[in-house]
Amino acid sequence: MIAVVPLVCALSGDVTAGQWVRREFTELHMGMAVRIVVHAQYDSAARAGARAAFATIASLEDVMSDYRPASELRRLTVAANAASIEVSADLCAVLDAGLTFARLSDGAFDPTVGPLVALWRAARQTGTPPSLPAIAEARSRVGWSRVRLDPDSCTATLDPGVQLDLGGIAKGYVLDRALATLAERGITSALIEAGGDIVVGDPPPGARGWRIVVRDGDPAVVSRAASLANAAISTSGDAEQFVANGGRRYSHIIDPRTGLGSTTAGLVTVIARDAMTADAMATALVVLGPERGTSLLGYYRGVVAAYRTAVVQDRSP
Ligand code: AMP
Ligand code: MG
C-alpha cells in the first residue's frame, strides 16, 4: 500500500476564529501530489475538511487503482471472466461513464484498453516499442463491448482476457468525490488539484472565480479558466510520457484502433462541469484529434476544449 504522507500543511493569513482563512494542504495519493485549497471560517474546519477529503481519495484508490493488486478493479478483472459480479457504487459509476464515453467516441476512449496500456508501459521502461505480434495479441483482448454493465444492479460481466484500465477517467471521479466530501462539511469554496486535473467549487470569498492560468490556448478556454467556479479543467497528452521510435513519439494514451500510442494531438485542455467528464474528455480528445473530437464534444453540452494548450497552474488568491 502507498503510504499517505502529509507533505505540506501551509498556514497563512489570519487564524482568528470567525474570519475567512485560506488553507492549503498537500498529500501524496494516486502516485502524485494532491493539493487541496480551501477557504473556511475556522482553521479547525479547514483541517478537518481536508483530512476527510484525503480519506475519501484514499478509499477510492483502494477501489480503482491499477497499481494495487488488491484493488476492487484488479480483483474484478481476475474474477469476473466467468459470471456477472456485483461491483461497488463507485466502480459502477466510473465504469458506466467510461463505457458511455467509449460508445460516444466510437471506441477511441476505451476502459478495456488495459492490455495495450501494459505493453506500452513496459515499452517506456525499455525504450523499445512493442512488437507487432504483441500488439495484435493485446488488441484481441480490447473492446468495450467485451464488458457488460447493468448500471441499475451494478453487476458487470467481462469476457475472458479483458483487463480494465480506468486511468483516463478515475482521477476525475476521485476529485469530484473529494470536493463533495468538503461540501458535506460546509466547505464549498475549495480547489483540488492532482496532476493535470483541477476541480473547483464556489469562488474564494470576494472573488468571481478561481484563477487558472492556461498557456497558449484558444482564447475562449483561456478566459473561462481565468475565473472558474463549480467546474473542472483537465489537460491530457503529457509530453513527458512517450516512447520515441523512427522519428515518432508514441504517447501513453493509446489509440485502440491501431494499438499504438497516440502520435497526433499533443496537449488538449478541457473545461467541464465535473472533473470526471473533463478527465475522460481530455483523454478521448487526444486519441480523436481535433476533427473527430468535435463530434464527441457535441454530445456534452457546456464542455469546451482547446488543442495544443497546457494548464499552467492555479494562481488563485
Ligand atoms: P489521462 O492522463 O487522463 O489522459 O489518462 C491517461 C491514462 O488513460 C493512461 O495512462 C491509461 O491508463 C489510460 N488510457 C490510455 N489510452 C486510453 C484510451 N484510449 N481510452 C481510455 N483510457 C486510456
Ligand atoms: Mg483523462
Side-chain angles (χ1 to χ4, degrees):
M1 231 166 90
I2 297 173
V4 176
V5 188
L7 292 177
V8 182
C9 170
L11 282 177
S12 62
D14 191 349
V15 291
T16 313
Q19 301 286 317
W20 283 97
V21 291
R22 180 191 192 275
R23 294 288 180 265
E24 189 170 328
F25 307 87
T26 305
E27 284 188 7
L28 204 55
H29 292 276
M30 306 180 284
M32 66 192 74
V34 179
R35 188 170 147 258
I36 298 182
V37 182
V38 300
H39 291 268
Q41 278 189 295
Y42 298 95
D43 180 56
S44 56
R47 286 172 177 279
R51 213 167 19 244
F54 283 130
T56 294
I57 293 170
S59 72
L60 289 171
E61 275 186 278
D62 289 336
V63 174
M64 275 168 283
S65 172
D66 185 41
Y67 290 92
R68 294 185 180 182
S71 74
E72 186 188 356
L73 180 80
R74 290 276 296 268
R75 283 185 283 116
L76 175 68
T77 293
V78 172
N81 285 332
S84 62
I85 299 266
E86 213 169 300
V87 297
S88 67
D90 291 311
L91 188 52
C92 189
V94 178
L95 200 49
D96 191 28
L99 290 170
T100 301
F101 262 97
R103 183 164 51 79
L104 297 180
S105 70
D106 207 8
F109 185 95
D110 191 330
T112 69
V113 77
L116 288 165
V117 170
L119 265 189
W120 286 90
R121 200 175 277 161
R124 279 202 304 285
Q125 268 152 20
T126 60
T128 313
S131 70
L132 291 178
I135 290 173
E137 190 283 328
R139 275 187 69 202
S140 73
R141 295 188 282 129
V142 173
W144 59 276
S145 61
R146 295 164 186 276
V147 179
R148 267 92 42 209
L149 176 75
D150 177 350
D152 297 322
S153 63
C154 283
T155 48
T157 316
L158 278 63
D159 285 354
V162 166
Q163 204 178 319
L164 294 172
D165 181 316
L166 299 175
I169 185 170
K171 184 153 44 101
Y173 179 81
V174 171
L175 296 190
D176 286 332
R177 286 288 316 277
L179 191 71
T181 296
L182 289 169
E184 280 158 21
R185 292 170 165 263
I187 298 177
T188 56
S189 174
L191 172 150
I192 311 179
E193 176 178 21
D197 302 273
I198 296 175
V199 66
V200 298
D202 292 342
R208 291 183 56 198
W210 297 84
R211 196 143 58 87
I212 314 296
V213 179
V214 174
R215 190 174 51 203
D216 300 336
D218 171 343
V221 170
V222 173
S223 66
R224 199 146 144 194
S227 181
L228 207 63
N230 296 304
I233 183 162
S234 289
T235 299
S236 271
D238 189 341
E240 286 159 23
Q241 296 190 58
F242 61 85
V243 182
N245 191 50
R248 294 196 141 198
R249 283 175 159 208
Y250 297 97
S251 154
H252 68 300
I253 297 174
I254 314 293
D255 185 343
R257 289 194 304 183
T258 60
L260 302 179
S262 167
T263 54
T264 50
L267 290 166
V268 181
T269 295
V270 173
I271 298 177
R273 288 302 295 266
D274 62 276
M276 180 168 71
T277 303
D279 184 5
M281 183 64 83
T283 307
L285 293 184
V286 169
V287 178
L288 288 168
E291 269 173 41
R292 290 170 65 218
T294 305
S295 59
L296 177 63
L297 277 167
Y299 290 110
Y300 290 83
R301 279 219 347 253
V303 179
V304 293
Y307 281 84
R308 282 171 291 280
T309 61
V311 173
V312 172
Q313 67 187 137
D314 146 53
R315 296 245 191 268
S316 307

